Amino acid sequence: MQRNDDPEFWQSVTGTLEQGEDPCETARREVLEETSIEITRCGYELIDCQKINTYEIRDRWKHRYPPNTPFNTEHVFSVAVANDQIIALTEHSAYLWLDKQSAMEKVWSDTNREAISLYVPDSNL
């Protein structure tokens, strides 16, 4: 998905843990908020990839974090959805369905690229 605040930045669904949430709950909520997909109601399976990344926060986004927070922690999840799944964007300008290699070339962050490489089957995205 293409970020509203940076048209060169394409990424997966992302979000912040809210008070009392576990990472799986956050992933379901963020997918719903950003795409309108209700994972459980649609019969999809959210897969916890058991991968946690830590990366440096971009200077332009540090204002979103508590002062002196240099790094962010990212929990990696995946969910396969139907090709004809209706998407309603709320926080992004556009989305694309791409093959695996094209998606890896399109995303901005190394951690998104790695997640696609490791957890998306070669036959689809």
Side-chain angles (χ1 to χ4, degrees):
M1 297 182 297
Q2 183 182 38
R3 288 187 63 96
N4 284 334
D5 61 357
D6 185 347
E8 300 301 315
F9 196 105
W10 287 77
Q11 69 180 119
S12 63
V13 171
T14 63
T16 302
L17 282 165
E18 291 184 356
Q19 185 90 21
E21 260 184 345
D22 69 40
C24 288
E25 291 169 323
T26 300
R28 284 187 187 87
R29 177 181 51 75
E30 289 291 346
V31 168
L32 176 61
E33 289 176 3
E34 295 185 21
T35 68
S36 78
I37 298 172
E38 293 185 56
I39 293 172
T40 303
R41 188 180 64 75
C42 290
Y44 299 138
E45 179 184 6
L46 180 69
I47 298 170
D48 183 345
C49 297
Q50 300 294 310
K51 174 118 173 90
I52 298 174
N53 299 313
T54 302
Y55 61 89
E56 190 169 1
I57 300 166
R58 291 175 79 189
D59 286 339
R60 72 185 297 172
W61 292 334
K62 285 188 177 179
H63 69 278
R64 299 176 183 176
Y65 296 85
N68 302 314
T69 304
F71 297 99
N72 196 15
T73 301
E74 170 183 81
H75 298 260
V76 179
F77 293 88
S78 69
V79 61
V81 301
N83 289 339
D84 61 352
Q85 175 67 52
I86 295 171
I87 305 291
L89 297 176
T90 58
E91 301 176 17
H92 296 84
S93 307
Y95 72 92
L96 296 169
W97 294 117
L98 300 170
D99 63 77
K100 182 175 180 172
Q101 185 60 43
S102 297
M104 289 173 58
E105 292 168 7
K106 189 76 169 167
V107 294
W108 186 89
S109 81
D110 291 336
T111 58
N112 269 197
R113 191 169 300 104
E114 179 187 46
I116 293 167
S117 173
L118 293 173
Y119 306 114
V120 173
D122 287 326
S123 60
N124 62 7
L125 175 66

